Amino acid sequence: DTFSTCLRQPLPATFRTSCRGSQIQRNSVIDEIQRLNRAISQRFVELDGHIVQGPLLSEVPHLSRCRERSDGAGQKTWRARVDNRFLSQCPATADLHQFVVRASELGQLVRQEEVSMLPAILLRPEAHHHVLDVCSAPGSKTEQILSLMAAGAGETTGFVMANDADPKRLDSLRRRFRWSPDCRLALVCADATELVEAYSPLQFDRVLCDVPCSGDGTFRKCPHLYRLFRPRYGLELHGVQLRIVTQALRLLRPGGRL
């Protein structure tokens, strides 16, 4: 059927610039990606028996944001016409794949699925906001929120508080930001179902709740999960999800956004 056919389509590789490093470094990364993209468009690239014509990468405007100040800082996002597996195995895209991997290890790029970028975009964090990321690990959305705040107008005076109940997952987030000792980020280990007790009397302008879920939104990336899925998986998590959201709402300032 239509749904099964969609699941069999390759998931396009997506990545974006991070909030870490100077604007000069970000511009250098952007220039190199554009150069590699032009080079690939001049090579013979075959995908499913068809020749790929034109640029392999395209910028995603609704997931990119440019700073409104004169330094031109901002976040840029690219979508490939192929998946990560193709990028890593096709000889014509080897240089691009190696650069993306290296830049990701250095914290200059973030490899993140397009659908995973949408919550932070819809949250619309501004440079002065106090933001709480409730279930933050492994940190891609946390990093994106920081990038969006840095891309807003005016000096960044706000901060992001990243919370997770698992100390090991929180430690992985800490290592993720080891290149950015100056970023406005605080890490807290607390049970998301008891947020008010942990954070009161603090209140936040923006709250992101990426609550525990059944994972059925990842079928396209992990099609084998489709055979294992049962409706009860989502139903069993509903109580936890509701408690987390209720706690988060109590920490949201009037006029804020969750």
Side-chain angles (χ1 to χ4, degrees), residues 146-211:
L146 286 166
S147 294
L148 292 170
M149 291 172 67
E155 181 183 356
T156 303
T157 56
F159 65 87
V160 176
M161 191 164 286
N163 180 87
D164 204 273
D166 189 332
K168 292 183 179 179
R169 285 170 57 85
L170 199 66
D171 190 59
S172 70
L173 196 152
R174 180 189 61 80
R175 292 194 301 271
R176 185 187 190 111
F177 287 91
R178 66 188 183 277
W179 303 108
S180 305
D182 58 337
C183 72
R184 294 178 172 271
L185 174 66
L187 304 181
V188 179
C189 185
D191 187 340
T193 62
E194 301 175 353
L195 289 174
V196 174
E197 181 179 344
Y199 287 95
S200 182
L202 290 176
Q203 285 197 309
F204 299 88
D205 303 289
R206 297 288 189 268
V207 178
L208 179 65
C209 287
D210 188 9
V211 297

Short mmCIF file of all heavy atoms in Angstrom, two decimals, residues 146-211:
data_model
loop_
_atom_site.label_atom_id
_atom_site.label_comp_id
_atom_site.label_asym_id
_atom_site.label_seq_id
_atom_site.Cartn_x
_atom_site.Cartn_y
_atom_site.Cartn_z
N LEU A 146 20.17 26.44 20.71
CA LEU A 146 21.27 27.39 20.92
C LEU A 146 21.63 28.09 19.61
O LEU A 146 21.91 29.30 19.60
CB LEU A 146 22.48 26.68 21.50
CG LEU A 146 22.39 26.26 22.97
CD1 LEU A 146 23.48 25.26 23.31
CD2 LEU A 146 22.46 27.48 23.88
N SER A 147 21.66 27.35 18.51
CA SER A 147 21.97 27.94 17.21
C SER A 147 20.93 28.98 16.81
O SER A 147 21.27 30.05 16.31
CB SER A 147 22.04 26.85 16.13
OG SER A 147 23.13 25.97 16.36
N LEU A 148 19.66 28.66 17.03
CA LEU A 148 18.58 29.58 16.66
C LEU A 148 18.61 30.83 17.53
O LEU A 148 18.34 31.93 17.06
CB LEU A 148 17.23 28.87 16.78
CG LEU A 148 16.97 27.75 15.77
CD1 LEU A 148 15.72 26.97 16.14
CD2 LEU A 148 16.86 28.33 14.36
N MET A 149 18.95 30.67 18.79
CA MET A 149 19.06 31.83 19.67
C MET A 149 20.21 32.73 19.23
O MET A 149 20.10 33.95 19.22
CB MET A 149 19.25 31.38 21.12
CG MET A 149 18.03 30.71 21.71
SD MET A 149 18.33 29.98 23.34
CE MET A 149 18.61 31.46 24.33
N ALA A 150 21.32 32.10 18.83
CA ALA A 150 22.48 32.87 18.36
C ALA A 150 22.20 33.55 17.03
O ALA A 150 22.84 34.56 16.69
CB ALA A 150 23.69 31.96 18.23
N ALA A 151 21.24 33.01 16.27
CA ALA A 151 20.92 33.58 14.97
C ALA A 151 19.86 34.68 15.05
O ALA A 151 19.52 35.28 14.04
CB ALA A 151 20.43 32.48 14.02
N GLY A 152 19.34 34.94 16.23
CA GLY A 152 18.32 35.96 16.39
C GLY A 152 18.91 37.36 16.48
O GLY A 152 20.12 37.55 16.55
N ALA A 153 18.03 38.35 16.48
CA ALA A 153 18.47 39.74 16.55
C ALA A 153 18.92 40.08 17.97
O ALA A 153 18.34 39.62 18.94
CB ALA A 153 17.34 40.67 16.12
N GLY A 154 19.96 40.87 18.07
CA GLY A 154 20.44 41.32 19.36
C GLY A 154 21.40 40.35 20.01
O GLY A 154 21.63 39.24 19.54
N GLU A 155 21.98 40.78 21.12
CA GLU A 155 22.94 39.95 21.84
C GLU A 155 22.22 38.80 22.53
O GLU A 155 21.10 38.95 23.04
CB GLU A 155 23.66 40.80 22.89
CG GLU A 155 24.70 40.04 23.69
CD GLU A 155 25.32 40.92 24.77
OE1 GLU A 155 24.99 42.12 24.82
OE2 GLU A 155 26.13 40.38 25.56
N THR A 156 22.86 37.64 22.56
CA THR A 156 22.27 36.48 23.21
C THR A 156 22.43 36.62 24.72
O THR A 156 23.52 36.45 25.27
CB THR A 156 22.95 35.18 22.73
OG1 THR A 156 22.84 35.09 21.32
CG2 THR A 156 22.28 33.96 23.36
N THR A 157 21.33 36.92 25.40
CA THR A 157 21.34 37.09 26.85
C THR A 157 20.58 35.97 27.55
O THR A 157 20.61 35.87 28.78
CB THR A 157 20.69 38.43 27.24
OG1 THR A 157 19.36 38.49 26.69
CG2 THR A 157 21.51 39.60 26.68
N GLY A 158 19.90 35.13 26.79
CA GLY A 158 19.16 34.02 27.38
C GLY A 158 20.04 32.80 27.60
O GLY A 158 21.26 32.87 27.45
N PHE A 159 19.41 31.70 27.96
CA PHE A 159 20.15 30.47 28.19
C PHE A 159 19.23 29.28 27.94
O PHE A 159 18.01 29.40 27.85
CB PHE A 159 20.69 30.41 29.62
CG PHE A 159 19.62 30.34 30.69
CD1 PHE A 159 19.09 29.11 31.10
CD2 PHE A 159 19.14 31.49 31.28
CE1 PHE A 159 18.10 29.05 32.06
CE2 PHE A 159 18.15 31.44 32.26
CZ PHE A 159 17.63 30.21 32.65
N VAL A 160 19.86 28.11 27.81
CA VAL A 160 19.13 26.85 27.66
C VAL A 160 19.49 25.95 28.83
O VAL A 160 20.66 25.76 29.14
CB VAL A 160 19.48 26.13 26.33
CG1 VAL A 160 18.77 24.77 26.27
CG2 VAL A 160 19.10 26.99 25.15
N MET A 161 18.46 25.42 29.48
CA MET A 161 18.66 24.45 30.54
C MET A 161 18.28 23.08 29.99
O MET A 161 17.12 22.84 29.66
CB MET A 161 17.83 24.81 31.78
CG MET A 161 18.18 24.00 33.01
SD MET A 161 17.54 24.76 34.53
CE MET A 161 18.67 26.14 34.72
N ALA A 162 19.25 22.21 29.86
CA ALA A 162 19.03 20.88 29.28
C ALA A 162 18.89 19.85 30.39
O ALA A 162 19.81 19.65 31.18
CB ALA A 162 20.19 20.51 28.35
N ASN A 163 17.73 19.21 30.43
CA ASN A 163 17.43 18.25 31.49
C ASN A 163 17.33 16.84 30.92
O ASN A 163 16.81 16.63 29.82
CB ASN A 163 16.10 18.61 32.15
CG ASN A 163 15.72 17.64 33.26
OD1 ASN A 163 16.13 17.82 34.41
ND2 ASN A 163 14.95 16.62 32.94
N ASP A 164 17.83 15.86 31.68
CA ASP A 164 17.61 14.46 31.33
C ASP A 164 17.71 13.63 32.60
O ASP A 164 18.52 13.94 33.48
CB ASP A 164 18.62 13.97 30.29
CG ASP A 164 18.09 12.78 29.51
OD1 ASP A 164 18.27 11.64 29.99
OD2 ASP A 164 17.49 12.98 28.45
N ALA A 165 16.90 12.58 32.67
CA ALA A 165 16.87 11.76 33.88
C ALA A 165 18.01 10.74 33.93
O ALA A 165 18.31 10.21 35.00
CB ALA A 165 15.53 11.03 33.98
N ASP A 166 18.64 10.49 32.79
CA ASP A 166 19.69 9.47 32.71
C ASP A 166 21.07 10.14 32.78
O ASP A 166 21.45 10.87 31.88
CB ASP A 166 19.55 8.70 31.39
CG ASP A 166 20.48 7.49 31.33
OD1 ASP A 166 21.54 7.52 31.98
OD2 ASP A 166 20.15 6.54 30.61
N PRO A 167 21.84 9.90 33.85
CA PRO A 167 23.16 10.53 33.99
C PRO A 167 24.11 10.20 32.84
O PRO A 167 24.88 11.06 32.41
CB PRO A 167 23.69 9.99 35.32
CG PRO A 167 22.48 9.53 36.06
CD PRO A 167 21.51 9.06 35.02
N LYS A 168 24.06 8.97 32.34
CA LYS A 168 24.96 8.57 31.26
C LYS A 168 24.62 9.31 29.97
O LYS A 168 25.51 9.77 29.26
CB LYS A 168 24.89 7.06 31.04
CG LYS A 168 25.47 6.25 32.18
CD LYS A 168 25.44 4.76 31.88
CE LYS A 168 26.05 3.96 33.02
NZ LYS A 168 26.00 2.49 32.74
N ARG A 169 23.33 9.44 29.67
CA ARG A 169 22.92 10.18 28.47
C ARG A 169 23.26 11.66 28.62
O ARG A 169 23.64 12.31 27.66
CB ARG A 169 21.42 9.98 28.21
CG ARG A 169 21.08 8.62 27.65
CD ARG A 169 19.58 8.37 27.64
NE ARG A 169 18.85 9.37 26.90
CZ ARG A 169 18.65 9.35 25.58
NH1 ARG A 169 19.16 8.36 24.87
NH2 ARG A 169 17.94 10.29 24.99
N LEU A 170 23.12 12.17 29.83
CA LEU A 170 23.46 13.58 30.07
C LEU A 170 24.95 13.80 29.91
O LEU A 170 25.39 14.85 29.43
CB LEU A 170 22.99 13.99 31.46
CG LEU A 170 22.85 15.50 31.70
CD1 LEU A 170 21.73 16.08 30.84
CD2 LEU A 170 22.57 15.78 33.17
N ASP A 171 25.75 12.82 30.30
CA ASP A 171 27.20 12.94 30.14
C ASP A 171 27.58 12.95 28.66
O ASP A 171 28.53 13.65 28.27
CB ASP A 171 27.90 11.78 30.85
CG ASP A 171 29.40 11.98 30.93
OD1 ASP A 171 29.84 13.00 31.50
OD2 ASP A 171 30.14 11.13 30.39
N SER A 172 26.85 12.21 27.83
CA SER A 172 27.11 12.24 26.39
C SER A 172 26.80 13.62 25.83
O SER A 172 27.47 14.10 24.91
CB SER A 172 26.28 11.18 25.67
OG SER A 172 24.90 11.50 25.68
N LEU A 173 25.79 14.29 26.39
CA LEU A 173 25.47 15.65 25.97
C LEU A 173 26.57 16.61 26.39
O LEU A 173 26.93 17.52 25.65
CB LEU A 173 24.12 16.07 26.57
CG LEU A 173 23.42 17.28 25.94
CD1 LEU A 173 21.90 17.15 26.13
CD2 LEU A 173 23.88 18.58 26.56
N ARG A 174 27.11 16.39 27.60
CA ARG A 174 28.22 17.23 28.06
C ARG A 174 29.41 17.11 27.13
O ARG A 174 30.05 18.11 26.78
CB ARG A 174 28.61 16.83 29.49
CG ARG A 174 29.76 17.63 30.06
CD ARG A 174 30.23 17.05 31.39
NE ARG A 174 30.72 15.69 31.24
CZ ARG A 174 31.92 15.39 30.77
NH1 ARG A 174 32.77 16.34 30.39
NH2 ARG A 174 32.29 14.12 30.67
N ARG A 175 29.73 15.88 26.70
CA ARG A 175 30.85 15.69 25.79
C ARG A 175 30.56 16.33 24.43
O ARG A 175 31.48 16.80 23.76
CB ARG A 175 31.13 14.19 25.62
CG ARG A 175 31.68 13.52 26.87
CD ARG A 175 32.25 12.15 26.55
NE ARG A 175 31.25 11.26 25.96
CZ ARG A 175 30.45 10.47 26.66
NH1 ARG A 175 30.52 10.46 27.98
NH2 ARG A 175 29.59 9.68 26.05
N ARG A 176 29.30 16.35 24.05
CA ARG A 176 28.92 16.96 22.77
C ARG A 176 29.28 18.44 22.73
O ARG A 176 29.62 18.98 21.68
CB ARG A 176 27.42 16.77 22.54
CG ARG A 176 26.90 17.25 21.20
CD ARG A 176 25.38 17.17 21.15
NE ARG A 176 24.91 17.41 19.80
CZ ARG A 176 24.35 16.50 19.02
NH1 ARG A 176 24.19 15.27 19.47
NH2 ARG A 176 23.94 16.80 17.81
N PHE A 177 29.22 19.09 23.88
CA PHE A 177 29.48 20.53 23.95
C PHE A 177 30.86 20.85 24.50
O PHE A 177 31.10 21.96 24.96
CB PHE A 177 28.40 21.23 24.78
CG PHE A 177 27.07 21.33 24.08
CD1 PHE A 177 26.13 20.33 24.23
CD2 PHE A 177 26.79 22.39 23.25
CE1 PHE A 177 24.92 20.39 23.59
CE2 PHE A 177 25.57 22.47 22.60
CZ PHE A 177 24.64 21.48 22.77
N ARG A 178 31.76 19.88 24.46
CA ARG A 178 33.09 20.13 25.00
C ARG A 178 33.85 21.18 24.22
O ARG A 178 34.79 21.78 24.72
CB ARG A 178 33.89 18.83 25.03
CG ARG A 178 34.22 18.24 23.66
CD ARG A 178 34.85 16.86 23.80
NE ARG A 178 35.25 16.28 22.52
CZ ARG A 178 34.43 15.64 21.70
NH1 ARG A 178 33.15 15.51 22.03
NH2 ARG A 178 34.87 15.14 20.56
N TRP A 179 33.42 21.44 22.95
CA TRP A 179 34.09 22.45 22.13
C TRP A 179 33.54 23.86 22.41
O TRP A 179 34.04 24.83 21.87
CB TRP A 179 33.91 22.14 20.65
CG TRP A 179 34.40 20.79 20.24
CD1 TRP A 179 33.64 19.71 19.90
CD2 TRP A 179 35.75 20.35 20.14
NE1 TRP A 179 34.43 18.63 19.59
CE2 TRP A 179 35.73 19.00 19.73
CE3 TRP A 179 36.99 20.98 20.37
CZ2 TRP A 179 36.90 18.26 19.54
CZ3 TRP A 179 38.14 20.24 20.17
CH2 TRP A 179 38.09 18.90 19.76
N SER A 180 32.51 23.95 23.25
CA SER A 180 31.86 25.24 23.45
C SER A 180 31.75 25.58 24.93
O SER A 180 30.65 25.61 25.49
CB SER A 180 30.46 25.24 22.82
OG SER A 180 30.52 24.89 21.47
N PRO A 181 32.85 25.84 25.59
CA PRO A 181 32.78 26.14 27.02
C PRO A 181 32.07 27.45 27.33
O PRO A 181 31.67 27.68 28.47
CB PRO A 181 34.26 26.20 27.43
CG PRO A 181 34.98 26.59 26.16
CD PRO A 181 34.21 25.93 25.05
N ASP A 182 31.90 28.29 26.32
CA ASP A 182 31.31 29.60 26.57
C ASP A 182 29.83 29.66 26.22
O ASP A 182 29.21 30.71 26.33
CB ASP A 182 32.05 30.68 25.77
CG ASP A 182 32.03 30.39 24.27
OD1 ASP A 182 31.85 29.22 23.90
OD2 ASP A 182 32.19 31.35 23.49
N CYS A 183 29.23 28.55 25.77
CA CYS A 183 27.83 28.60 25.35
C CYS A 183 26.93 28.72 26.58
O CYS A 183 27.27 28.29 27.68
CB CYS A 183 27.46 27.38 24.51
SG CYS A 183 27.35 25.85 25.44
N ARG A 184 25.76 29.29 26.38
CA ARG A 184 24.82 29.55 27.47
C ARG A 184 23.96 28.30 27.70
O ARG A 184 22.80 28.25 27.30
CB ARG A 184 23.97 30.77 27.15
CG ARG A 184 24.78 32.06 27.09
CD ARG A 184 23.94 33.25 26.73
NE ARG A 184 24.69 34.49 26.85
CZ ARG A 184 24.78 35.21 27.96
NH1 ARG A 184 24.15 34.82 29.05
NH2 ARG A 184 25.49 36.32 28.00
N LEU A 185 24.57 27.32 28.33
CA LEU A 185 23.93 26.03 28.53
C LEU A 185 24.20 25.51 29.93
O LEU A 185 25.33 25.54 30.42
CB LEU A 185 24.47 25.02 27.50
CG LEU A 185 24.00 23.57 27.63
CD1 LEU A 185 22.50 23.46 27.36
CD2 LEU A 185 24.80 22.67 26.70
N ALA A 186 23.13 25.05 30.58
CA ALA A 186 23.25 24.41 31.89
C ALA A 186 22.65 23.00 31.78
O ALA A 186 21.60 22.82 31.17
CB ALA A 186 22.50 25.21 32.95
N LEU A 187 23.35 22.01 32.34
CA LEU A 187 22.90 20.63 32.31
C LEU A 187 22.39 20.22 33.68
O LEU A 187 23.05 20.45 34.69
CB LEU A 187 24.05 19.70 31.90
CG LEU A 187 24.75 20.01 30.57
CD1 LEU A 187 25.84 18.98 30.29
CD2 LEU A 187 23.76 20.05 29.42
N VAL A 188 21.20 19.61 33.70
CA VAL A 188 20.57 19.20 34.96
C VAL A 188 20.05 17.78 34.81
O VAL A 188 19.44 17.43 33.79
CB VAL A 188 19.41 20.15 35.35
CG1 VAL A 188 18.77 19.68 36.65
CG2 VAL A 188 19.89 21.58 35.47
N CYS A 189 20.28 16.96 35.81
CA CYS A 189 19.79 15.58 35.82
C CYS A 189 18.61 15.50 36.79
O CYS A 189 18.79 15.55 38.01
CB CYS A 189 20.90 14.62 36.24
SG CYS A 189 20.46 12.88 36.14
N ALA A 190 17.40 15.40 36.24
CA ALA A 190 16.20 15.34 37.08
C ALA A 190 15.12 14.52 36.36
O ALA A 190 15.10 14.44 35.13
CB ALA A 190 15.68 16.75 37.37
N ASP A 191 14.25 13.93 37.14
CA ASP A 191 13.12 13.16 36.60
C ASP A 191 12.14 14.14 35.95
O ASP A 191 11.65 15.06 36.61
CB ASP A 191 12.45 12.40 37.74
CG ASP A 191 11.37 11.44 37.24
OD1 ASP A 191 10.87 11.62 36.11
OD2 ASP A 191 11.03 10.52 37.99
N ALA A 192 11.85 13.92 34.68
CA ALA A 192 10.98 14.85 33.95
C ALA A 192 9.55 14.86 34.47
O ALA A 192 8.80 15.80 34.22
CB ALA A 192 10.99 14.50 32.46
N THR A 193 9.15 13.80 35.21
CA THR A 193 7.79 13.77 35.78
C THR A 193 7.72 14.54 37.09
O THR A 193 6.64 14.64 37.68
CB THR A 193 7.32 12.32 36.00
OG1 THR A 193 8.20 11.69 36.95
CG2 THR A 193 7.33 11.54 34.70
N GLU A 194 8.87 15.07 37.55
CA GLU A 194 8.91 15.84 38.79
C GLU A 194 9.64 17.17 38.58
O GLU A 194 10.43 17.61 39.41
CB GLU A 194 9.59 15.03 39.90
CG GLU A 194 8.89 13.71 40.20
CD GLU A 194 9.64 12.85 41.20
OE1 GLU A 194 10.78 13.23 41.56
OE2 GLU A 194 9.11 11.82 41.62
N LEU A 195 9.37 17.81 37.44
CA LEU A 195 10.09 19.02 37.06
C LEU A 195 9.84 20.18 38.01
O LEU A 195 10.76 20.93 38.33
CB LEU A 195 9.68 19.44 35.64
CG LEU A 195 10.17 18.56 34.49
CD1 LEU A 195 9.56 19.03 33.18
CD2 LEU A 195 11.69 18.60 34.41
N VAL A 196 8.61 20.35 38.46
CA VAL A 196 8.29 21.50 39.31
C VAL A 196 9.09 21.44 40.60
O VAL A 196 9.63 22.45 41.07
CB VAL A 196 6.77 21.53 39.61
CG1 VAL A 196 6.47 22.63 40.63
CG2 VAL A 196 5.98 21.77 38.33
N GLU A 197 9.22 20.26 41.16
CA GLU A 197 10.01 20.10 42.38
C GLU A 197 11.47 20.41 42.13
O GLU A 197 12.15 20.99 42.99
CB GLU A 197 9.86 18.67 42.91
CG GLU A 197 10.63 18.40 44.19
CD GLU A 197 10.44 16.99 44.68
OE1 GLU A 197 9.50 16.31 44.22
OE2 GLU A 197 11.24 16.56 45.54
N ALA A 198 11.98 20.07 40.95
CA ALA A 198 13.39 20.28 40.64
C ALA A 198 13.71 21.73 40.28
O ALA A 198 14.80 22.21 40.58
CB ALA A 198 13.81 19.36 39.49
N TYR A 199 12.77 22.43 39.61
CA TYR A 199 13.09 23.74 39.04
C TYR A 199 12.38 24.92 39.71
O TYR A 199 12.79 26.06 39.50
CB TYR A 199 12.73 23.75 37.54
CG TYR A 199 13.67 22.94 36.70
CD1 TYR A 199 13.38 21.62 36.37
CD2 TYR A 199 14.87 23.48 36.24
CE1 TYR A 199 14.24 20.86 35.60
CE2 TYR A 199 15.74 22.73 35.47
CZ TYR A 199 15.42 21.43 35.15
OH TYR A 199 16.28 20.68 34.39
N SER A 200 11.32 24.70 40.44
CA SER A 200 10.60 25.80 41.06
C SER A 200 11.55 26.61 41.95
O SER A 200 12.39 26.02 42.65
CB SER A 200 9.44 25.24 41.89
OG SER A 200 8.70 26.30 42.45
N PRO A 201 11.48 27.95 41.93
CA PRO A 201 10.46 28.82 41.32
C PRO A 201 10.81 29.32 39.91
O PRO A 201 10.23 30.32 39.46
CB PRO A 201 10.40 29.99 42.30
CG PRO A 201 11.84 30.14 42.74
CD PRO A 201 12.41 28.74 42.76
N LEU A 202 11.76 28.69 39.20
CA LEU A 202 12.12 29.13 37.87
C LEU A 202 10.94 28.99 36.91
O LEU A 202 10.14 28.06 37.03
CB LEU A 202 13.30 28.32 37.33
CG LEU A 202 14.67 28.54 37.96
CD1 LEU A 202 15.68 27.58 37.37
CD2 LEU A 202 15.13 29.98 37.74
N GLN A 203 10.87 29.91 35.95
CA GLN A 203 9.90 29.79 34.86
C GLN A 203 10.62 30.09 33.55
O GLN A 203 11.64 30.80 33.53
CB GLN A 203 8.72 30.75 35.07
CG GLN A 203 7.75 30.26 36.14
CD GLN A 203 6.41 30.95 36.04
OE1 GLN A 203 6.33 32.18 35.98
NE2 GLN A 203 5.35 30.17 36.03
N PHE A 204 10.07 29.58 32.46
CA PHE A 204 10.76 29.62 31.18
C PHE A 204 9.86 30.20 30.09
O PHE A 204 8.64 30.03 30.11
CB PHE A 204 11.22 28.22 30.78
CG PHE A 204 12.17 27.60 31.75
CD1 PHE A 204 11.72 26.87 32.85
CD2 PHE A 204 13.55 27.75 31.58
CE1 PHE A 204 12.61 26.30 33.76
CE2 PHE A 204 14.45 27.19 32.49
CZ PHE A 204 13.97 26.46 33.57
N ASP A 205 10.51 30.89 29.14
CA ASP A 205 9.79 31.46 28.00
C ASP A 205 9.44 30.39 26.97
O ASP A 205 8.44 30.49 26.26
CB ASP A 205 10.65 32.53 27.32
CG ASP A 205 11.07 33.63 28.27
OD1 ASP A 205 10.20 34.41 28.67
OD2 ASP A 205 12.26 33.69 28.63
N ARG A 206 10.30 29.40 26.86
CA ARG A 206 10.10 28.31 25.90
C ARG A 206 10.44 26.98 26.58
O ARG A 206 11.42 26.89 27.31
CB ARG A 206 11.00 28.48 24.66
CG ARG A 206 10.72 29.74 23.85
CD ARG A 206 9.41 29.61 23.09
NE ARG A 206 9.21 30.70 22.16
CZ ARG A 206 8.57 31.83 22.45
NH1 ARG A 206 8.09 32.02 23.68
NH2 ARG A 206 8.42 32.75 21.53
N VAL A 207 9.61 25.97 26.32
CA VAL A 207 9.86 24.63 26.85
C VAL A 207 9.69 23.62 25.72
O VAL A 207 8.68 23.63 25.02
CB VAL A 207 8.90 24.28 28.01
CG1 VAL A 207 9.17 22.86 28.50
CG2 VAL A 207 9.03 25.27 29.15
N LEU A 208 10.69 22.77 25.56
CA LEU A 208 10.63 21.70 24.55
C LEU A 208 10.50 20.37 25.26
O LEU A 208 11.32 20.03 26.11
CB LEU A 208 11.89 21.70 23.69
CG LEU A 208 11.97 20.60 22.62
CD1 LEU A 208 10.87 20.80 21.58
CD2 LEU A 208 13.32 20.60 21.94
N CYS A 209 9.45 19.62 24.92
CA CYS A 209 9.21 18.30 25.52
C CYS A 209 9.31 17.24 24.43
O CYS A 209 8.33 16.96 23.74
CB CYS A 209 7.83 18.24 26.17
SG CYS A 209 7.67 19.15 27.70
N ASP A 210 10.46 16.63 24.30
CA ASP A 210 10.63 15.49 23.40
C ASP A 210 10.45 14.24 24.25
O ASP A 210 11.41 13.56 24.60
CB ASP A 210 12.01 15.55 22.75
CG ASP A 210 12.17 14.50 21.66
OD1 ASP A 210 11.17 13.86 21.30
OD2 ASP A 210 13.29 14.30 21.18
N VAL A 211 9.20 13.95 24.58
CA VAL A 211 8.88 12.93 25.58
C VAL A 211 9.20 11.53 25.07
O VAL A 211 9.29 11.30 23.86
CB VAL A 211 7.39 13.02 25.98
CG1 VAL A 211 7.09 14.35 26.64
CG2 VAL A 211 6.49 12.81 24.76
#
